[in-house]
Amino acid sequence: MAVYINTVAGEPDYGSLPAAKIIDYPLEKRDYRPFAQVQLALGAHALFARLISFEARPDPASRLMLLFAFPAGRAGLSVTADGELQTLPPTLDIQKRETAGEDLQGIFWGAECVLPRAELERLAGRALAPGDMLYGNVFKTSGGGAMPPHFGCLYPSKPVYTLQELSALEAEDLGPFQVTGY
């Protein structure tokens, strides 16, 4: 089943967007497996992405990553618990606002990111519209440190721990994201 990217007229209301949960932790079953999620919305000029991880005391290198593969290239981002943002390609102009807090699910950290729609459409080779299917994945990783190392993904994938490793992913490591009109 595809993850939905809802279309919005202006800024998204993340409280009303569906959340895609990262629940696939394919390594050892006894490994640390923090709950994480992504919410996506397509606006007139941007793709909005909210990535959050429920960890009370995350390792500073704990990482959330988002990747989309297009015919003309890939677009992605990586944000760490200490706020470092990396983009793929490195010239992709992404705005980021760190977010943290607590809700009924627990204490969380993450980022709300704004990706330029024009660049995504250039990579896709077409204007994005309801009904379009994009392919990508979302990851929650950490190489260790204060917390145990872990690797989680939205769609089954071989383990990747850095933004640069996302470039090596194949079609079988990606899943569907559908732009919807509601």
Side-chain angles (χ1 to χ4, degrees), residues 69-95:
F70 297 104
R74 296 181 177 218
L77 64 91
S78 168
V79 63
T80 61
D82 68 359
E84 178 188 357
L85 173 70
Q86 295 176 322
T87 64
L88 180 71
T91 58
L92 189 61
D93 183 27
I94 295 176
Q95 299 171 20

Side-chain angles (χ1 to χ4, degrees), residues 22 24-27 65 67 74 136-141 151-162 165-175:
I22 298 173
D24 186 9
Y25 284 84
L27 304 177
M65 296 185 291
L67 172 73
R74 296 181 177 218
N137 211 336
V138 183
F139 305 92
K140 169 64 181 84
T141 69
F151 168 77
C153 46
L154 181 61
Y155 290 109
S157 171
K158 64 178 145 271
V160 292
Y161 292 92
T162 66
E165 292 174 326
L166 293 180
S167 297
L169 292 179
E170 304 291 332
E172 62 266 9
D173 298 308
L174 308 175

Side-chain angles (χ1 to χ4, degrees), residues 49-129:
R50 182 179 190 225
L51 299 110
I52 57 175
S53 177
F54 290 87
E55 296 178 284
R57 290 177 294 285
D59 184 74
S62 189
R63 183 180 306 272
L64 290 161
M65 296 185 291
L66 170 67
L67 172 73
F68 286 108
F70 297 104
R74 296 181 177 218
L77 64 91
S78 168
V79 63
T80 61
D82 68 359
E84 178 188 357
L85 173 70
Q86 295 176 322
T87 64
L88 180 71
T91 58
L92 189 61
D93 183 27
I94 295 176
Q95 299 171 20
K96 174 191 67 98
R97 188 185 77 172
E98 293 178 40
T99 185
E102 183 174 2
D103 65 13
L104 295 175
Q105 298 178 83
I107 297 170
F108 64 88
W109 67 271
E112 294 173 1
C113 300
V114 180
L115 293 81
R117 182 173 177 164
E119 179 62 14
L120 299 179
E121 290 178 336
R122 184 191 70 73
L123 292 169
R126 66 183 189 285
L128 299 175

